[in-house]
Amino acid sequence: ADQIPSGKQALTISTDQVRGVNGFIRPGDRINAILTIDIEFDLLPESAPGFGIPSGDGEEPAQPEEETEVVTLSRYVLQGIPVLAVDRDVRPREGERQNVTVTPEEGAPEGDQTPATVFTLEVDAEQAEKFVYAFENGSVWLTLVPEDFVEVDTNGVTIENLFEGDLVQDIFGG
């Protein structure tokens, strides 16, 4: 706990090998998290103006049946998050070298070189909530970033902007 700065906390997440950068993340690195999530939009029919606003005759209009459209969005949810530990390998204190020996789990094959998939991160309260929400409600991919990484603002990606053009026209011509 003495390695966690004031105002921060440790949060442990787990991914698979592919989503966790295949073992390249080390203690002291920084990572980004990209969330893919389905978002439901209620589509209200154009033919039903008022939508629950009482008409002049004192009766409320019948509520139209709602259609639901689901849009899948992928977007950076957190960027530049410091990694405190990977599996049981802990980030060394500043100015200190640390050699850590990790004991393989009981039953693991001899010489098992499976990339680490458990990461303990240094986050503030809001970042912790975002990580938990992302892991509970979507699909999360981690990216490893260099020391000189600068956060970028993105709009995210949906099928509508994935190919940066008119997809229908590209497919069907015209």
Side-chain angles (χ1 to χ4, degrees), residues 2-107:
D2 59 340
Q3 288 196 33
I4 304 169
S6 179
K8 298 287 185 164
Q9 52 193 295
L11 174 72
T12 300
I13 60 171
S14 179
T15 66
D16 61 30
Q17 292 173 13
V18 173
R19 294 170 197 263
V21 196
N22 199 33
F24 283 95
I25 299 172
R26 298 282 179 240
D29 286 341
R30 292 187 311 144
I31 61 166
N32 294 341
I34 300 170
L35 169 65
T36 297
I37 191 167
D38 290 335
I39 302 170
E40 291 184 15
F41 290 92
D42 294 329
L43 301 176
L44 299 173
E46 291 180 37
S47 62
F51 304 116
I53 299 172
S55 61
D57 60 9
E59 291 183 33
E60 283 195 27
Q63 291 293 327
E65 289 190 30
E66 295 179 356
E67 295 179 36
T68 301
E69 178 182 351
V70 176
V71 175
T72 302
L73 172 71
S74 292
R75 187 171 184 181
Y76 282 99
V77 66
L78 292 157
Q79 298 182 46
I81 303 298
V83 178
L84 289 172
V86 177
D87 285 341
R88 295 186 187 116
D89 190 5
V90 181
R91 173 177 72 186
R93 297 175 200 269
E94 197 166 321
E96 206 178 273
R97 289 189 56 145
Q98 183 173 6
N99 295 320
V100 176
T101 304
V102 177
T103 307
E105 290 185 32
E106 209 172 299

Side-chain angles (χ1 to χ4, degrees), residues 78-156:
L78 292 157
Q79 298 182 46
I81 303 298
V83 178
L84 289 172
V86 177
D87 285 341
R88 295 186 187 116
D89 190 5
V90 181
R91 173 177 72 186
R93 297 175 200 269
E94 197 166 321
E96 206 178 273
R97 289 189 56 145
Q98 183 173 6
N99 295 320
V100 176
T101 304
V102 177
T103 307
E105 290 185 32
E106 209 172 299
E110 189 72 29
D112 186 14
Q113 297 297 317
T114 303
T117 58
V118 176
F119 309 98
T120 302
L121 310 174
E122 178 186 299
V123 294
D124 62 28
E126 185 177 314
Q127 292 167 328
E129 291 174 339
K130 286 182 178 184
F131 263 116
V132 171
Y133 186 89
F135 273 91
E136 291 293 324
N137 294 284
S139 173
V140 179
W141 289 72
L142 304 179
T143 66
L144 177 62
V145 296
E147 286 184 29
D148 63 350
F149 170 77
V150 177
E151 287 189 27
V152 294
D153 190 24
T154 69
N155 293 323

